[in-house]
Amino acid sequence: MKKFISAAAAILTAVCCITSCSDTSNSSSEPSSSSRVRQKRVSSSKIDENIIGTWKNDFNGYRFQEDRNVSLVMDFSDTIHFTNDGKLIANEQEISGDMLTMENNTITAKAESEGLDEPAIILSLERTDGKNISDGLDGTYSMTDGAYKEVIASNFGLKPEQANVEVNVQGEKFDVTVIDYCLYETNDGKLELFSENMDYVDENANSVFYEYSIEGDTLTMTYETGDQEVYKKVEED
């Protein structure tokens, strides 16, 4: 969705300020959807099985799932990643020592901020793949707390506790997925994405429509304005 691309870009802009903001605990405002009452609907029409899977470009993508949910995939590696010696680079700042703790398979990163008496949590990750951090950082995590999660949730109309954010770390790769963000339906070359949290057209709308086509491993999604998004299918473990 075009708004997804805009939101993802806004997230990167916002997280670039995280380690220097005066108060990261207030870095995200209350989602606009919190003041609206939306009717929740379910996906029921037949799904084009060819669209099921993960589709990505260089930065973002979609995971169209068999259970009719859509997860949003983003590559944050240019903004945040771990180094080979276990340090965290966030907004070109190195976080290590007392500011980066790894205990009980949980990683917590903090940063000093003007106006705060104590360092603020910018990132908290909990290992979810059954492996131990002591054996290496590569693996899958749940983003449980911190300014990064607040910014991600806010930009997609969610409260932090509503957002299920998964992180996959592979070397200096830092891939972020917002799990089960919305539902989808397909019908005769048209794709609808919808959720009571979405406000992509206006504050009262909760869905977005595309025309789409699949040729080989390429998915092209065309918005009503004529803007196109092009993604390649990727195989995941």
Side-chain angles (χ1 to χ4, degrees), residues 71-82:
S71 295
L72 308 181
V73 183
M74 296 167 284
D75 184 354
F76 275 21
S77 305
D78 288 343
T79 301
I80 183 170
H81 63 266
F82 290 99

Side-chain angles (χ1 to χ4, degrees), residues 11-44:
I11 289 169
L12 286 183
T13 299
V15 297
C16 283
C17 301
I18 282 177
T19 54
S20 58
C21 287
S22 61
D23 188 352
T24 56
S25 64
N26 293 320
S27 61
S28 60
S29 59
E30 194 73 13
S32 59
S33 61
S34 63
S35 61
R36 299 191 302 267
V37 177
R38 296 289 192 87
Q39 182 175 359
K40 189 170 184 177
R41 53 177 278 207
V42 299
S43 175
S44 58

Side-chain angles (χ1 to χ4, degrees), residues 12-13 15 21 36 48 55 91 101 110-111 130 157 160 173 200 204:
L12 286 183
T13 299
V15 297
C21 287
R36 299 191 302 267
D48 178 2
W55 306 81
N91 188 24
T101 60
K110 298 181 179 180
K173 290 284 290 181
Y200 293 151
N204 296 311

